[in-house]
Amino acid sequence: MLDVEDSVELRALQARAYGRSGALSDAEAERLRELEAARVSEDGLAATTAPVTAAPASQPGESAPQTGESASQPGESAPHREPAHRRPTDAVVATDPGPHDVSARTVLRRRWPVVLGVSVVFVVVGVLLGWLLFADRGPRPLQLTTTQQDWQAALIASGDFDSGSIRALQEEEGVVIWFATKEGGANVCLVLGDDRATAPACTTREQASIQGVNATLTTVVDESQSYDVEVQMLLTPKGEPAIIARSYITSPQTTATFASQEEVEAAEALAEATGLDRRSIAVVGYDAGVPIWTGIDMATQRFCLVFDGSMPDPPMVCDDSLMLSGAESTLALDVEDAGGVATRYEYRFGYGQQYLTVTKGEAGDDAAGD
């Protein structure tokens, strides 16, 4: 193996031997052949060498040979010199890189399997991340209880829908909402069901894409009220179902609806505490979960706005019911909390659009109240 000094010596001898006018002595030429042979043995590569010309030793009384001419020792033939016009004028001298001087091409050639492996890993990870982030996997199926699975099994056994098309989408207050198809997918169906009843609604796929499908399942709570689950289903551009569901409690004696049984009980308590007609009481809005009510006073027939209603004497403001004959009327109720911050509740009603406005910290002095 060539050490640093041998490598330096090799490069120096090569520069002199292969230059335009380079020449070596016999000893130097022999040394060059030894170094090149050692390098070939070390690298295992075939080396291309040019003929080496030894310069004759100067004898006393003799002049040095002219540049470009070769001299030979007695008994030896003159070594062959390639004509000058065939030698490259800008020759590239091959040099030994040394033990710590490896070319970039050699490094890449040795490490390309590692580089390729790392590149493949990055590509695979990128594909997986893209799939996780952007893949359209559709809506997740609803996990049914054992009882609800029996309901679905009954739907499948009925044979009213295409085989394998029944899919549970959502649960609303104990009612399961299914999507199904009929006539080989030409018709789409919205099916509501619980342990007592089933309410299917079907239409053509084209009609469902335009207007959607609506279905309602009514459950009787008692003689004075029932619980309704109302669902609207639309189809996405890809034909997948998208549903909007709401549930409320109704009474045959009134058109008012309540979100839960708790609200029904609160309305009954409000009627007893304020004298409002139970049939006229309704929730018109919420403030941080607190209901805002309206109703008609049974004694005076005045229209009233009530805050909360869970206390014995709730904040309330009423107006003369004769004002209902006007195009629009407004009730304003100011309520101050424990910290002294006032909130104004304004309810606009009449023959136009009815709505509630809640304004924090801006109560007025002109609000009428009882």
Side-chain angles (χ1 to χ4, degrees), residues 12-368:
L13 291 174
Q14 287 175 331
R16 292 177 56 192
Y18 306 141
R20 292 186 178 184
S21 58
L24 298 177
S25 64
D26 291 342
E28 291 173 339
E30 182 63 23
R31 178 57 176 166
L32 176 59
R33 284 191 289 270
E34 291 176 0
L35 293 176
E36 288 181 337
R39 180 180 178 185
V40 170
S41 175
E42 176 186 351
D43 294 343
L45 302 174
T48 303
T49 59
V52 179
T53 303
S58 300
Q59 298 296 330
E62 293 181 355
S63 60
Q66 296 181 358
T67 302
E69 294 180 1
S70 61
S72 60
Q73 297 296 329
E76 294 182 354
S77 60
H80 172 72
R81 293 292 298 271
E82 187 174 353
H85 68 276
R86 295 181 58 185
R87 295 198 306 268
T89 56
D90 295 317
V92 177
V93 179
T95 59
D96 180 37
H100 304 292
D101 193 12
V102 183
S103 68
R105 182 178 297 178
T106 303
V107 172
L108 182 60
R109 191 164 53 240
R110 293 176 181 174
R111 299 184 181 178
W112 74 265
V114 178
V115 175
L116 179 61
V118 173
S119 301
V120 171
V121 170
F122 275 109
V123 171
V124 172
V125 171
V127 171
L128 290 177
L129 288 177
W131 180 83
L132 289 174
L133 291 175
F134 304 108
D136 184 8
R137 294 178 289 277
R140 294 182 179 180
L142 175 67
Q143 298 298 320
L144 299 176
T145 65
T146 302
T147 301
Q148 292 169 343
Q149 290 176 4
D150 294 338
W151 303 347
Q152 180 166 303
L155 289 177
I156 297 173
S158 69
D160 295 335
F161 309 100
D162 292 336
S163 177
S165 68
I166 299 177
R167 187 198 319 171
L169 301 177
Q170 185 175 318
E171 179 183 349
E172 179 71 19
E173 297 296 333
V175 175
V176 178
I177 304 169
W178 285 279
F179 169 79
T181 63
K182 297 177 68 172
E183 306 296 335
N187 296 337
V188 296
C189 300
L190 173 65
V191 184
L192 312 184
D194 58 11
D195 58 340
R196 287 172 286 188
T198 301
C202 301
T203 186
T204 64
R205 185 175 291 273
E206 292 76 16
Q207 191 69 20
S209 300
I210 299 172
Q211 296 182 346
V213 186
N214 297 281
T216 301
L217 181 63
T218 301
T219 303
V220 176
V221 178
D222 54 37
E223 294 181 356
S224 62
Q225 58 187 354
S226 61
Y227 200 90
D228 292 355
V229 174
E230 186 177 276
V231 181
Q232 181 182 25
M233 181 182 73
L234 302 172
L235 296 182
T236 68
K238 293 184 178 181
E240 290 293 329
I243 59 175
I244 302 172
R246 67 189 187 100
S247 55
Y248 50 87
I249 295 177
T250 61
S251 172
Q253 300 176 351
T254 179
T255 58
T257 61
F258 301 98
S260 63
Q261 184 62 34
E262 289 75 13
E263 281 193 1
V264 174
E265 296 172 358
E268 294 175 351
L270 182 62
E272 294 180 2
T274 61
L276 297 178
D277 188 345
R278 166 68 180 82
R279 296 168 298 178
S280 67
I281 296 177
V283 177
V284 295
Y286 297 88
D287 181 14
V290 177
I292 312 299
W293 308 80
T294 59
I296 297 176
D297 189 333
M298 294 184 64
T300 63
Q301 294 299 301
R302 292 184 301 172
F303 191 73
C304 302
L305 182 68
V306 186
F307 174 78
D308 192 359
S310 63
M311 57 195 75
D313 187 18
M316 183 172 67
V317 61
C318 298
D319 207 340
D320 195 332
S321 60
L322 295 178
M323 294 185 64
L324 290 174
S325 59
E328 286 186 347
S329 300
T330 302
L331 278 174
L333 174 64
D334 295 332
V335 178
E336 191 173 284
D337 62 14
V341 179
T343 301
R344 164 162 287 196
Y345 301 95
E346 290 183 295
Y347 182 65
R348 184 171 293 263
F349 60 97
Y351 291 103
Q353 184 178 9
Q354 302 181 18
Y355 57 90
L356 176 72
T357 302
V358 180
T359 307
K360 296 288 186 179
E362 295 185 8
D365 299 329
D366 57 346

